[in-house]
Amino acid sequence: MSQHRKRPEKQTRRTRGLITGAVAVTVAAGVGLGLWTGHDDSAPAGSAQAETQAGADRHAPSQSASAAAPRQSPTPSPTRSYALSTTPRTIPAVRAHTPARGPGWRPAAGRRVVVNDAGLADEGRLVAGELGLTYAGKKDDVRAGDVRLALDHGAGAAPESYRMTVRGGRVDISGPDDAGVFYGTRTLKQEVHGGGTAPEGVVRDQPAKPVRGFSLDMARKSFTASWIEDRVRELGDLKYNRLQLHFSDDQGFRIASDSHPEIVSKQHLTKAQVRKIVALAAQRHITVVPEIDSPGHLGAVIAAHPELQLRSAAGNAPQGTIDISKPAAAQIVDDLLKEYADLFPGSDWHLGGDEYRALMVSNPAATYPQLAAAAQKAYGAGGTVADLTTGWLNDRADTVRAAGKTPLAWNDGFFRGTSVRPAGDIRVAYWTGKEIGARQPVEYLSAGRKVVNYNDEFLYYVLGQPNKFFYPRGQRIYEQWTPRVVRGTTAVSSKYDGQILGGYFAVWCDFPNAQTQDQVAAGVRMPLRATAQKLWDPRKPALTWTQFKALGDRLG
């Protein structure tokens, strides 16, 4: 309401072809200039050796003078030196920068992007195209102005980390994995935005959280493929690594299906369009996470299969609620899960599991006796409707796990006091504390569960603002939220930080006509940037909100 990309997956996506890059989205970081006497350019700029040598050069006698000649003060030849560089301003901010003295780097026609591994071709071609450089492929020679991308499998390096060195008129970006190298190119792109200069020195950077996502409800509102592609480019530049597509709900089923074409809405994406989105996302190290919500929110499926609708003893039919006592209900959902497993090659799969209306009544067993009977048949005389629903979730987890996926489910799909326990590898997508029998995040965390933060108090952009949802403000996220603020406004203990994998900013389209898709893009722009900052580095930001917003406006 994770997992680090393996090299073989990268090679697979290469065969799908290159999708060209986006326009640069970045920030200038200038360096001051001054006039000093000469120094030894062979020493690393800003190093103690360079500073010592510069001082020696300013005071040493001329070596060309004869030993018998009178001592003369040398005539200095003015050459340029530089002020100490300043930390680049990017979104998200780099976590560490060691300043140095030097001219920095800026793109120019004819300069090259080179790599030390053919596996970095995608990253190299993308940044070369964005900055107007020449992609020269794998090269060992060094030329002035080069941008060199390198894989460095050094022991102990954090996943998705990178190091960027600007020195001697060149840029070196290295990391233990191609994702980190890609993030380094995003930093460079922002640094030189609008004709700016990448400042001299060394950036060392890595994300705090492995899951940094954007969730889109495209079931209630149809979004065009080009709009989603634009978001992918935006997310990539902000160093997000997940895009969740909620494409099945009561209002629509928005991706073409071969196994059940009868359930697909008139406005939908073709599989070719989805493959293009997935390939574009893979190029930017973003995993596309599908969500087929069940056993609730299945109205579009039920519309084509009314025989699967859950009905109460009184004959009432709660919206979007499938009758999980019927084997055909499990069959159709599993058909869909299996069908889309290849379309979405990433490792994550969201099973939904929220708001099953059979459990949102005071007496589920009396209201839905067929569910109670099925629970007792499956789990004995003490079996409950909550047990049956938990068994449904576990069965769907088995289906996606068989396809190599790691399951995720909404927190209100987990229940207290059941004899059937949710599978241990199902991650908790914690979005609310408003459900019946609401459970605090610490209940999941203390049980050892891994949690992904979708806090509806901060991270929910709900069209039409129903049920006291208000369009989130970037400033509030920036100043008050961290990944440990899982529910409401209070952070959980820091001892659970490692179990909180990250978070998602989510768009929900309860009233789909409340905004156009362009208004949605504009409305989420700064909240997305604020969320990116706090997922990358949850510490108090160095910039004020006013400064951060101005930076976001400047970068576009």
Side-chain angles (χ1 to χ4, degrees):
M1 309 170 217
S2 176
Q3 295 56 34
H4 198 46
R5 188 186 320 282
K6 305 297 184 187
R7 301 287 300 168
E9 289 185 34
K10 176 85 180 291
Q11 296 302 327
T12 298
R13 69 178 172 82
R14 288 182 200 292
T15 64
R16 298 187 185 118
L18 179 68
I19 299 174
T20 54
V23 179
V25 189
T26 48
V27 60
V31 290
L33 304 180
L35 289 177
W36 297 83
T37 51
H39 64 275
D40 180 4
D41 286 333
S42 66
S47 68
Q49 179 187 348
E51 294 299 302
T52 302
Q53 183 64 49
D57 287 348
R58 285 195 287 272
H59 301 294
S62 171
Q63 296 301 310
S64 62
S66 166
R71 288 179 63 90
Q72 297 180 5
S73 297
T75 302
S77 54
T79 57
R80 198 182 309 188
S81 188
Y82 303 88
L84 201 63
S85 65
T86 57
T87 301
R89 288 194 169 184
T90 60
I91 297 176
V94 301
R95 297 187 66 144
H97 175 252
T98 303
R101 301 181 191 277
W105 180 92
R106 66 176 60 196
R111 289 186 166 180
R112 307 185 305 173
V113 175
V114 298
V115 300
N116 79 335
D117 188 299
L120 292 173
D122 282 358
E123 291 74 20
R125 288 192 179 97
L126 178 61
V127 73
E130 291 169 332
L131 302 186
L133 309 176
T134 299
Y135 177 66
K138 185 177 179 181
K139 300 289 182 184
D140 295 324
D141 63 312
V142 176
R143 295 184 186 176
D146 275 356
V147 174
R148 178 171 292 274
L149 310 182
L151 290 175
D152 178 7
H153 302 289
E160 299 185 289
S161 65
Y162 69 92
R163 173 186 173 119
M164 181 169 72
T165 303
V166 180
R167 178 179 295 148
R170 296 187 300 274
V171 180
D172 290 284
I173 300 172
S174 62
D177 187 273
D178 45 3
V181 174
F182 171 73
Y183 297 138
T185 68
R186 301 306 88 191
T187 296
L188 179 65
K189 180 182 174 184
Q190 290 193 31
E191 287 178 337
V192 302
H193 175 71
T197 300
E200 203 86 2
V202 181
V203 167
R204 294 176 179 84
D205 204 12
Q206 66 186 64
K209 293 297 179 183
V211 174
R212 305 178 302 280
F214 173 61
S215 178
L216 178 66
D217 172 11
M218 55 176 282
R220 293 179 177 95
K221 182 180 180 68
S222 177
F223 290 86
T224 64
S226 61
W227 188 93
I228 297 172
E229 290 168 9
D230 285 344
R231 301 290 73 71
V232 168
R233 296 183 183 96
E234 180 180 18
L235 294 171
D237 283 347
L238 295 171
K239 299 172 184 163
Y240 281 90
N241 65 359
R242 296 290 192 282
L243 169 63
Q244 180 174 315
L245 297 180
H246 175 90
F247 63 90
S248 169
D249 212 306
D250 297 342
Q251 295 80 0
F253 193 98
R254 303 290 182 182
I255 295 178
S257 171
D258 299 318
S259 65
H260 290 282
E262 73 279 2
I263 70 174
V264 178
S265 302
K266 183 177 180 180
Q267 289 183 303
H268 67 272
L269 299 182
T270 66
K271 287 189 175 180
Q273 288 174 315
V274 174
R275 289 188 185 98
K276 185 179 177 185
I277 290 167
V278 169
L280 180 67
Q283 186 193 37
R284 287 157 170 78
H285 296 273
I286 296 170
T287 298
V288 182
V289 181
E291 183 193 353
I292 299 177
D293 203 345
S294 76
H297 296 281
L298 282 170
V301 172
I302 293 169
H305 293 275
E307 71 279 6
L308 300 181
Q309 169 70 56
L310 178 67
R311 295 187 181 276
S312 71
N316 297 319
Q319 182 182 25
T321 309
I322 205 164
D323 188 338
I324 60 175
S325 70
K326 296 183 176 181
Q331 183 64 54
I332 193 169
V333 173
D334 281 348
D335 287 347
L336 296 169
L337 296 177
K338 293 173 183 176
E339 176 181 357
Y340 294 108
D342 290 335
L343 187 62
F344 296 98
S347 59
D348 293 3
W349 195 291
H350 203 305
L351 295 171
D354 64 311
E355 297 179 327
Y356 187 48
R357 293 181 181 273
L359 291 170
M360 297 171 69
V361 296
S362 59
N363 191 336
T367 306
Y368 302 103
Q370 74 273 38
L371 298 183
Q376 291 170 13
K377 181 179 179 180
Y379 305 113
T384 66
V385 176
D387 286 325
L388 189 69
T389 308
T390 303
W392 170 278
L393 180 67
N394 285 341
D395 289 345
R396 307 294 77 75
D398 288 345
T399 300
V400 301
R401 197 183 295 110
K405 314 297 184 182
T406 300
L408 183 73
W410 298 116
N411 62 287
D412 51 335
F414 296 77
F415 310 106
R416 278 197 190 98
T418 55
S419 61
V420 180
R421 311 299 297 172
D425 66 336
I426 302 177
R427 297 171 174 181
V428 180
Y430 199 103
W431 72 280
T432 190
K434 300 182 178 73
E435 77 276 14
I436 296 171
R439 301 169 68 188
Q440 292 286 343
V442 72
E443 288 195 39
Y444 304 96
L445 294 165
S446 62
R449 293 229 178 238
K450 293 180 179 179
V451 171
V452 181
N453 188 333
Y454 292 74
N455 187 335
D456 64 349
E457 177 78 18
F458 288 91
L459 306 178
Y460 263 34
Y461 191 96
V462 184
L463 297 197
Q465 304 186 102
N467 303 319
K468 297 185 179 180
F469 283 112
F470 303 102
Y471 294 132
R473 296 181 297 114
Q475 182 174 1
R476 188 163 179 255
I477 297 168
Y478 188 77
E479 295 177 347
Q480 299 179 30
W481 181 79
T482 73
R484 284 173 44 213
V485 181
V486 180
R487 170 177 170 171
T489 59
T490 303
V492 300
S493 170
S494 60
K495 71 180 180 180
Y496 297 120
D497 189 61
Q499 290 173 241
I500 301 171
L501 300 178
Y504 279 79
F505 185 89
V507 170
W508 296 101
C509 302
D510 292 40
F511 290 90
N513 297 324
Q515 290 188 342
T516 66
Q517 64 178 16
D518 289 340
Q519 287 173 321
V520 173
V524 304
R525 199 179 71 82
M526 285 311 299
L528 269 178
R529 282 150 179 77
T531 305
Q533 174 60 45
K534 302 305 282 290
L535 287 168
W536 193 265
D537 187 351
R539 298 174 298 180
K540 182 179 179 180
L543 300 183
T544 66
W545 171 251
T546 299
Q547 292 170 325
F548 184 83
K549 185 177 184 304
L551 177 60
D553 291 342
R554 188 159 66 250
L555 294 178

